[in-house]
Amino acid sequence: MCGNFKLRSNTWFLVLLCGLGGFLFLSGCSHKNTPEASRVAEKATIALGKPTPTPGLDVYLLLDESGSMIGRRGSDPEGVRYEAGKYLLQNLLVKRSPPEGPHRVAIVHFATRAQGTPLIEVTPGNADRMVQALASPTDIHRGYTNIVAALQKVKQLYDQTPPGRHPRRLVVVLFTDGQPDDARKLPLKKYFQEIAHQVRQELPGAEFYVVGLDNPHFKDRFQQTVSDWQRIVGQYHVVTITRMPDLYTTFNQTLQRILEIPQVTPDRVQQEKTFEVQPYLDCLEFHIFYDPRIKLAIYRPDGSLLKAKDPGVSVTKEAKYAIFRVQDPTPGHWKYRIISGQGQVTVFRNPIPFRLTLLQPGAFWPMGQEIYLKAVFLKANGQEIKELPDYPLGFMARVISPGRKEQVVDFPRGSKVGQVYYSNQAVKTTEAGEYTIILTVKGGDRFQTSHTVKTFVQSAPYLDIQKPQPLTHYGRSQELVVEALLERDGHKTDPQKEFIEHPNYLILAKLLHSPDQESGPTIWLSQNDQRKSYFYGVLPQYCWTPGSYRLAVQLAGTPRLPVAFKGSGPQVQVIDFYISKAWPWSTRLYYLGLAILSMIILWLMALAIWLLSATKVIGGVTIDSASGQTKSYRLYSRGVLWPQGLPGFSQEDGSKCPPLCLWARSLGRERLRIYLGGWISLLSMGLIKERVYSLRKDEQVE
């Protein structure tokens, strides 16, 4: 046979061009500028922050001692307010408080004048002091209801209290049965102007709760001033009672509001009563106001009797009531039952829920830096709370800016790293002031609880971590590169104008956790010579094993301009990121293999198009041997994916013609393309052993 081999398709050019472009693109993804080796920070450690603790309470209990309280027709001749005050303190005592900053209480008695005690820590060892402070003073003049003097006394005691190391909430609970007055005999409007000044100007951070007894025997009844009180302290913070025994209930409900405990109506048990206990409760309190002649039993959902000696149960008994606390109560239907005696038993039931603990932000946050909320859902001992299948968990938060703009963020399950939940979007901090964060936990449709955390935003320098980014996936590497920008109020800033130290000794970085090890050395990040606000560093640790990694970066310099907020300290950012699975030898070879695979896929696509565009041929072929012997074969209309096979034959002289495998493809009416070699020729799209013949009418070709 004779003829010229010719490549008749542009497909190869297209395949090579696409493959080369893909290789260059993927190779560029793995390129990085490796900075110079960073300096190890000898003996330097990063001051890792702890979760923002639940602030302890400083409670000022203001008790009315005016003449209207005593006497036969007085509001409280039997001194119920003192017994209810003891109950309030006992109720506060059993509530969990930070060990380093327990709840504290101060008692202020007021009539014509006001007198009070300094703050006392609410601990079992101080029970006698608290009772003595509650006792009715014998030397107080009972002529007037001088509420202004009582608030001034709170201000005096508050100013005399040394500042604590931990945040605290200032709470004022006022109990009175009438209207404010004193020896000046001012109009009522004037008294409330002075009260408003004390509340808003002298004690601006305090939470006020007013409990008023509306005595029908008085001309100047408390009910007549409710609207004035609501205008000053808020509608939700004013409660009116008509009977002194209701003060127990009111004090319990007030503490529920202060501690953001779900409100539950008191249970009145006469014979038997069933109630439901929700899931995800830290503990359940039963405040039982009993009659010695009546015995009340409480049964769990499995029918077992609740006993004082049971594990996780603690009991506090007083003359008129007892408080049972049950840790980790079983959700379901519980039951009260009176097992002896007749009458009614009142039970205050306080469900104390588990709550989200906020890790970020803390008490202070720099203005301009976006906030990604981070939180954990743990028990007090650090164990993660097990999710109940029937009550799937959901977490969200409402963030309210100082300008009252509200943003709702979610904590998706996919953003959880270890025990930490990340919010799904950032909160911008463009305003200075106090931001309110309301954290909510949902457990199916049977449980929901919220609590409030506050953070103060103020202008200050901060770090914008460029690399690694939170929750971002990276390829394997022999080193961990850290890059950061120094900013203030959302703009780059000069470190020499912000800090006293040299820029190369401002920022620390440390790998806290990886799949292979728990921690590594601490390094200083170096300042870039051209970009003054840009810092970089290299941690000499392999990021090789796929999994989650945790990095801490601390802004450790001494500011030239001190931050006014007392709770501000070293700024530490903790970044969780991932190393993804890659080729076992190196990231660069991984991208090279990916480029080759892309070329193969593109080539197969071009081959498929080439095959489907082929035209089948029906005709004949004659094979001539060197001795002049010929043999003819018929070309059939075979399938496009299978070549025509021509068997060989033996000649008279003993020589053999080998079998052939070929493809025949028409190039129009007068041209024919023959591909010899079967699949080899096919896969090369005719590059190997191809001949093209020009056909004329009735003409035969070799």
Side-chain angles (χ1 to χ4, degrees), residues 186-198:
L186 300 176
L188 193 60
K189 181 179 179 180
K190 181 63 176 177
Y191 284 122
F192 276 104
Q193 288 177 350
E194 293 183 356
I195 291 172
H197 173 78
Q198 290 291 326

Side-chain angles (χ1 to χ4, degrees), residues 151-168:
L151 296 176
Q152 290 172 343
K153 189 64 177 181
V154 171
K155 171 65 174 173
Q156 178 188 354
L157 294 173
Y158 177 73
D159 289 343
Q160 292 173 353
T161 304
R165 296 177 55 190
H166 304 281
R168 288 186 167 277

Side-chain angles (χ1 to χ4, degrees), residues 530-581:
Q530 285 74 37
R531 301 162 60 192
K532 299 299 184 181
S533 60
Y534 175 81
F535 293 81
Y536 63 84
V538 179
L539 284 162
Q541 290 169 293
Y542 283 79
C543 294
W544 212 253
T545 305
S548 63
Y549 289 70
R550 179 164 292 171
L551 174 75
V553 182
Q554 176 177 329
L555 184 57
T558 305
R560 293 187 183 275
L561 298 176
V563 178
F565 184 74
K566 296 179 181 179
S568 63
Q571 295 182 35
V572 180
Q573 297 184 51
V574 178
I575 300 101
D576 290 298
F577 63 98
Y578 300 96
I579 298 298
S580 302
K581 292 183 179 179

Side-chain angles (χ1 to χ4, degrees), residues 16 34 39 46 180 218 252 285 299 302 307 318 396 413 419 428 448 459-460 503 558 564 596 616 634 652-653 676:
L16 289 172
T34 303
R39 298 157 292 115
I46 292 181
F218 299 160
N252 182 67
E285 294 177 358
Y299 297 90
D302 61 1
K307 299 178 181 178
E318 296 294 332
M396 60 162 289
R413 291 178 179 270
Q419 297 179 335
K428 297 186 181 299
Q448 178 172 332
S459 179
T558 305
I596 294 173
K616 292 173 284 188
R634 180 74 175 169
E652 295 178 355
D653 60 0
L676 300 178

Side-chain angles (χ1 to χ4, degrees), residues 14 32-33 60 98 117 120 178 232 238 248 272 286 335 344 396 435 513 543 556 578 636 640 680:
L14 293 174
K32 64 174 182 277
N33 293 321
Y60 289 83
T117 62
I120 304 170
I232 296 173
V238 181
Y248 290 95
E272 185 175 290
F286 297 97
K335 185 182 295 184
Q344 177 177 279
M396 60 162 289
Y435 284 66
H513 170 76
C543 294
Y578 300 96
Y636 296 98
V640 72
I680 296 177

Side-chain angles (χ1 to χ4, degrees), residues 59-65 69 88 106 108-111 145-151 154 171-180 192 195 199 207-213 222 225 229 232-233 237-241 247 250-251 254 258:
V59 179
Y60 289 83
L61 178 59
L62 282 54
L63 296 179
D64 190 343
E65 300 292 347
M69 279 289 175
L88 176 65
V108 175
H109 301 274
F110 67 94
T145 308
N146 197 342
I147 298 176
V148 173
L151 296 176
V154 171
V171 178
V172 178
V173 180
L174 167 68
F175 171 70
T176 184
D177 68 339
Q179 301 177 4
F192 276 104
I195 291 172
V199 171
E207 303 171 37
F208 281 83
Y209 295 84
V210 180
V211 180
L213 175 66
F222 175 81
T225 62
W229 283 113
I232 296 173
V233 303
H237 290 205
V238 181
V239 181
T240 303
I241 61 175
L247 191 56
T250 303
F251 278 170
T254 299
I258 294 171

Side-chain angles (χ1 to χ4, degrees), residues 32 417 467-481 511 513-516 541-550 575-583 587:
K32 64 174 182 277
V417 182
K467 186 177 182 180
Q469 289 284 310
L471 307 183
T472 302
H473 291 258
Y474 295 94
R476 293 176 173 178
S477 175
Q478 296 181 0
E479 56 196 15
L480 175 59
V481 178
L511 188 65
H513 170 76
S514 70
D516 297 325
Q541 290 169 293
Y542 283 79
C543 294
W544 212 253
T545 305
S548 63
Y549 289 70
R550 179 164 292 171
I575 300 101
D576 290 298
F577 63 98
Y578 300 96
I579 298 298
S580 302
K581 292 183 179 179
W583 284 64
T587 304

Side-chain angles (χ1 to χ4, degrees), residues 209-221:
Y209 295 84
V210 180
V211 180
L213 175 66
D214 190 42
N215 193 327
H217 300 295
F218 299 160
K219 178 181 179 182
D220 299 332
R221 298 174 61 172

